[in-house]
Amino acid sequence: MKIYGDLLSILGVESRSIEKVVLTRVQAKLNVPFDRLKHYISDLQDLDLIEDQVSYKLTQKGKQYLNEYVTILDFMERMGIAYS
């Protein structure tokens, strides 16, 4: 859950700040091997959480997932539950 949440967060920020998301840059921020990154991206596309027209972007479903993920992390932090 954490890797997919982090990946969606990175893709969301990257797609807003630059015209085309560079996967090696995403890989460096996520700190995973490139082949595993491609697998994660494929999973997110299959779940309709991201789309790849010109560049990777979050779908509405992906944005909703990310909002729920942030809410859960906030709740865990307030409860003193470590999540890393």
Side-chain angles (χ1 to χ4, degrees), residues 1 13 36 68:
M1 185 171 92
V13 169
R36 198 172 315 159
E68 295 296 326

Side-chain angles (χ1 to χ4, degrees), residues 62-78:
K63 291 175 186 176
Q64 182 180 2
Y65 177 92
L66 187 56
N67 286 335
E68 295 296 326
Y69 175 72
V70 169
T71 300
I72 291 168
L73 290 181
D74 182 52
F75 173 77
M76 291 174 69
E77 183 178 320
R78 287 183 289 144

